[in-house]
mmCIF file of all heavy atoms in Angstrom:
data_model
loop_
_atom_site.group_PDB
_atom_site.id
_atom_site.type_symbol
_atom_site.label_atom_id
_atom_site.label_comp_id
_atom_site.label_asym_id
_atom_site.label_seq_id
_atom_site.Cartn_x
_atom_site.Cartn_y
_atom_site.Cartn_z
ATOM 1 N N LEU V 198 -22.247 -28.075 40.511
ATOM 2 C CA LEU V 198 -21.444 -28.371 41.681
ATOM 3 C C LEU V 198 -20.019 -27.632 41.542
ATOM 4 O O LEU V 198 -19.607 -26.959 42.498
ATOM 5 C CB LEU V 198 -21.138 -29.860 41.681
ATOM 6 C CG LEU V 198 -20.441 -30.390 43.015
ATOM 7 C CD1 LEU V 198 -21.248 -30.150 44.093
ATOM 8 C CD2 LEU V 198 -20.211 -31.932 42.689
ATOM 9 N N TRP V 199 -19.584 -27.650 40.343
ATOM 10 C CA TRP V 199 -18.242 -27.012 40.056
ATOM 11 C C TRP V 199 -18.374 -25.456 40.375
ATOM 12 O O TRP V 199 -17.452 -25.010 41.078
ATOM 13 C CB TRP V 199 -17.934 -27.322 38.543
ATOM 14 C CG TRP V 199 -16.765 -26.432 38.117
ATOM 15 C CD1 TRP V 199 -15.495 -26.734 38.207
ATOM 16 C CD2 TRP V 199 -16.872 -25.156 37.431
ATOM 17 N NE1 TRP V 199 -14.686 -25.783 37.646
ATOM 18 C CE2 TRP V 199 -15.502 -24.753 37.189
ATOM 19 C CE3 TRP V 199 -17.922 -24.242 37.095
ATOM 20 C CZ2 TRP V 199 -15.104 -23.609 36.567
ATOM 21 C CZ3 TRP V 199 -17.552 -23.113 36.539
ATOM 22 C CH2 TRP V 199 -16.174 -22.783 36.201
ATOM 23 N N ARG V 200 -19.372 -24.885 39.995
ATOM 24 C CA ARG V 200 -19.563 -23.505 40.255
ATOM 25 C C ARG V 200 -19.780 -23.125 41.623
ATOM 26 O O ARG V 200 -19.165 -22.212 42.321
ATOM 27 C CB ARG V 200 -20.822 -23.031 39.358
ATOM 28 C CG ARG V 200 -20.546 -21.861 38.496
ATOM 29 C CD ARG V 200 -21.853 -21.403 37.792
ATOM 30 N NE ARG V 200 -22.299 -20.293 38.170
ATOM 31 C CZ ARG V 200 -21.784 -19.006 38.044
ATOM 32 N NH1 ARG V 200 -20.654 -18.948 37.220
ATOM 33 N NH2 ARG V 200 -22.193 -18.015 38.516
ATOM 34 N N ARG V 201 -20.668 -24.040 42.213
ATOM 35 C CA ARG V 201 -21.131 -23.782 43.650
ATOM 36 C C ARG V 201 -19.799 -23.867 44.584
ATOM 37 O O ARG V 201 -19.653 -23.125 45.479
ATOM 38 C CB ARG V 201 -22.253 -24.772 44.116
ATOM 39 C CG ARG V 201 -23.200 -24.276 44.987
ATOM 40 C CD ARG V 201 -24.233 -25.176 45.293
ATOM 41 N NE ARG V 201 -23.859 -26.613 45.632
ATOM 42 C CZ ARG V 201 -24.360 -27.643 44.893
ATOM 43 N NH1 ARG V 201 -25.229 -27.525 43.963
ATOM 44 N NH2 ARG V 201 -23.856 -28.840 45.220
ATOM 45 N N GLU V 202 -19.078 -24.936 44.241
ATOM 46 C CA GLU V 202 -17.919 -25.016 45.125
ATOM 47 C C GLU V 202 -16.860 -23.975 44.902
ATOM 48 O O GLU V 202 -16.301 -23.626 45.969
ATOM 49 C CB GLU V 202 -17.230 -26.406 44.941
ATOM 50 C CG GLU V 202 -18.122 -27.667 45.418
ATOM 51 C CD GLU V 202 -18.381 -27.582 46.950
ATOM 52 O OE1 GLU V 202 -17.614 -27.034 47.665
ATOM 53 O OE2 GLU V 202 -19.482 -28.074 47.418
ATOM 54 N N GLY V 203 -16.812 -23.455 43.700
ATOM 55 C CA GLY V 203 -15.832 -22.428 43.444
ATOM 56 C C GLY V 203 -16.353 -21.166 44.234
ATOM 57 O O GLY V 203 -15.628 -20.602 44.824
ATOM 58 N N LEU V 204 -17.674 -20.857 44.058
ATOM 59 C CA LEU V 204 -18.183 -19.711 44.646
ATOM 60 C C LEU V 204 -18.119 -19.818 46.263
ATOM 61 O O LEU V 204 -17.852 -18.860 46.941
ATOM 62 C CB LEU V 204 -19.677 -19.491 44.280
ATOM 63 C CG LEU V 204 -19.809 -19.169 42.844
ATOM 64 C CD1 LEU V 204 -21.214 -19.045 42.385
ATOM 65 C CD2 LEU V 204 -19.033 -17.801 42.383
ATOM 66 N N LYS V 205 -18.388 -20.988 46.716
ATOM 67 C CA LYS V 205 -18.256 -21.281 48.249
ATOM 68 C C LYS V 205 -16.813 -21.019 48.783
ATOM 69 O O LYS V 205 -16.512 -20.387 49.670
ATOM 70 C CB LYS V 205 -18.653 -22.766 48.539
ATOM 71 C CG LYS V 205 -19.730 -22.810 49.579
ATOM 72 C CD LYS V 205 -20.416 -24.218 49.471
ATOM 73 C CE LYS V 205 -19.682 -25.210 50.357
ATOM 74 N NZ LYS V 205 -20.216 -26.496 50.253
ATOM 75 N N MET V 206 -15.835 -21.357 47.767
ATOM 76 C CA MET V 206 -14.395 -20.999 48.263
ATOM 77 C C MET V 206 -14.137 -19.591 48.307
ATOM 78 O O MET V 206 -13.384 -19.103 49.150
ATOM 79 C CB MET V 206 -13.415 -21.802 47.387
ATOM 80 C CG MET V 206 -13.419 -23.245 47.607
ATOM 81 S SD MET V 206 -12.440 -24.189 46.469
ATOM 82 C CE MET V 206 -10.762 -23.833 46.865
ATOM 83 N N ILE V 207 -14.852 -18.733 47.416
ATOM 84 C CA ILE V 207 -14.807 -17.343 47.487
ATOM 85 C C ILE V 207 -15.349 -16.921 48.762
ATOM 86 O O ILE V 207 -14.805 -16.022 49.411
ATOM 87 C CB ILE V 207 -15.399 -16.651 46.338
ATOM 88 C CG1 ILE V 207 -14.748 -17.075 44.963
ATOM 89 C CG2 ILE V 207 -15.484 -15.190 46.355
ATOM 90 C CD1 ILE V 207 -15.419 -16.722 43.752
ATOM 91 N N ARG V 208 -16.606 -17.334 49.048
ATOM 92 C CA ARG V 208 -17.238 -16.839 50.280
ATOM 93 C C ARG V 208 -16.443 -17.206 51.526
ATOM 94 O O ARG V 208 -16.469 -16.427 52.416
ATOM 95 C CB ARG V 208 -18.708 -17.473 50.328
ATOM 96 C CG ARG V 208 -19.720 -16.521 49.477
ATOM 97 C CD ARG V 208 -21.069 -16.899 49.828
ATOM 98 N NE ARG V 208 -21.404 -18.321 49.474
ATOM 99 C CZ ARG V 208 -21.902 -18.601 48.129
ATOM 100 N NH1 ARG V 208 -22.078 -17.628 47.234
ATOM 101 N NH2 ARG V 208 -22.194 -19.813 47.848
ATOM 102 N N GLU V 209 -15.804 -18.419 51.523
ATOM 103 C CA GLU V 209 -15.023 -18.785 52.702
ATOM 104 C C GLU V 209 -13.674 -17.968 52.769
ATOM 105 O O GLU V 209 -12.929 -18.331 53.592
ATOM 106 C CB GLU V 209 -14.789 -20.218 52.733
ATOM 107 C CG GLU V 209 -16.079 -21.067 52.947
ATOM 108 C CD GLU V 209 -15.879 -22.528 52.804
ATOM 109 O OE1 GLU V 209 -14.629 -23.046 52.651
ATOM 110 O OE2 GLU V 209 -16.846 -23.181 52.444
ATOM 111 N N GLY V 210 -13.482 -17.191 51.823
ATOM 112 C CA GLY V 210 -12.164 -16.272 51.975
ATOM 113 C C GLY V 210 -10.916 -17.087 51.331
ATOM 114 O O GLY V 210 -9.791 -16.602 51.556
ATOM 115 N N LEU V 211 -11.163 -18.258 50.849
ATOM 116 C CA LEU V 211 -9.939 -19.052 50.283
ATOM 117 C C LEU V 211 -9.450 -18.363 48.862
ATOM 118 O O LEU V 211 -8.213 -18.396 48.766
ATOM 119 C CB LEU V 211 -10.355 -20.450 50.027
ATOM 120 C CG LEU V 211 -10.507 -21.341 51.293
ATOM 121 C CD1 LEU V 211 -11.224 -22.684 50.928
ATOM 122 C CD2 LEU V 211 -9.151 -21.598 51.926
ATOM 123 N N ILE V 212 -10.333 -17.920 48.189
ATOM 124 C CA ILE V 212 -9.909 -17.289 46.983
ATOM 125 C C ILE V 212 -10.533 -15.913 46.779
ATOM 126 O O ILE V 212 -11.884 -15.870 47.232
ATOM 127 C CB ILE V 212 -10.316 -17.964 45.627
ATOM 128 C CG1 ILE V 212 -10.511 -19.531 45.716
ATOM 129 C CG2 ILE V 212 -9.590 -17.698 44.418
ATOM 130 C CD1 ILE V 212 -11.181 -20.181 44.520
ATOM 131 N N ARG V 213 -9.941 -14.931 46.395
ATOM 132 C CA ARG V 213 -10.586 -13.624 46.195
ATOM 133 C C ARG V 213 -11.259 -13.746 44.818
ATOM 134 O O ARG V 213 -10.919 -14.369 43.869
ATOM 135 C CB ARG V 213 -9.596 -12.527 46.111
ATOM 136 C CG ARG V 213 -8.845 -12.296 47.407
ATOM 137 C CD ARG V 213 -8.657 -10.680 47.642
ATOM 138 N NE ARG V 213 -7.674 -10.270 46.640
ATOM 139 C CZ ARG V 213 -6.441 -10.230 46.633
ATOM 140 N NH1 ARG V 213 -5.878 -10.969 47.638
ATOM 141 N NH2 ARG V 213 -5.674 -9.832 45.643
ATOM 142 N N GLU V 214 -12.507 -13.178 44.877
ATOM 143 C CA GLU V 214 -13.363 -13.275 43.698
ATOM 144 C C GLU V 214 -12.732 -12.867 42.372
ATOM 145 O O GLU V 214 -12.985 -13.600 41.374
ATOM 146 C CB GLU V 214 -14.654 -12.296 43.870
ATOM 147 C CG GLU V 214 -15.656 -12.497 42.789
ATOM 148 C CD GLU V 214 -16.980 -11.887 43.152
ATOM 149 O OE1 GLU V 214 -17.018 -11.119 44.134
ATOM 150 O OE2 GLU V 214 -17.817 -11.881 42.298
ATOM 151 N N GLU V 215 -11.950 -11.853 42.355
ATOM 152 C CA GLU V 215 -11.261 -11.400 41.228
ATOM 153 C C GLU V 215 -10.254 -12.519 40.691
ATOM 154 O O GLU V 215 -9.716 -12.313 39.640
ATOM 155 C CB GLU V 215 -10.723 -9.959 41.222
ATOM 156 C CG GLU V 215 -9.611 -9.802 42.271
ATOM 157 C CD GLU V 215 -10.066 -9.419 43.652
ATOM 158 O OE1 GLU V 215 -11.204 -9.734 44.098
ATOM 159 O OE2 GLU V 215 -9.257 -8.864 44.368
ATOM 160 N N HIS V 216 -9.931 -13.431 41.631
ATOM 161 C CA HIS V 216 -8.879 -14.407 41.235
ATOM 162 C C HIS V 216 -9.544 -15.662 40.699
ATOM 163 O O HIS V 216 -8.916 -16.604 40.279
ATOM 164 C CB HIS V 216 -7.966 -14.616 42.397
ATOM 165 C CG HIS V 216 -7.075 -13.492 42.608
ATOM 166 N ND1 HIS V 216 -6.050 -13.477 43.451
ATOM 167 C CD2 HIS V 216 -7.065 -12.230 42.067
ATOM 168 C CE1 HIS V 216 -5.408 -12.423 43.492
ATOM 169 N NE2 HIS V 216 -6.087 -11.580 42.675
#
Side-chain angles (χ1 to χ4, degrees):
L198 184 64
W199 170 86
R200 234 181 109 72
R201 214 174 46 231
E202 289 301 328
L204 295 175
K205 236 159 85 188
M206 287 173 76
I207 294 171
R208 279 196 288 274
E209 289 170 21
L211 286 169
I212 329 175
R213 289 216 302 277
E214 187 169 358
E215 66 270 26
H216 289 189

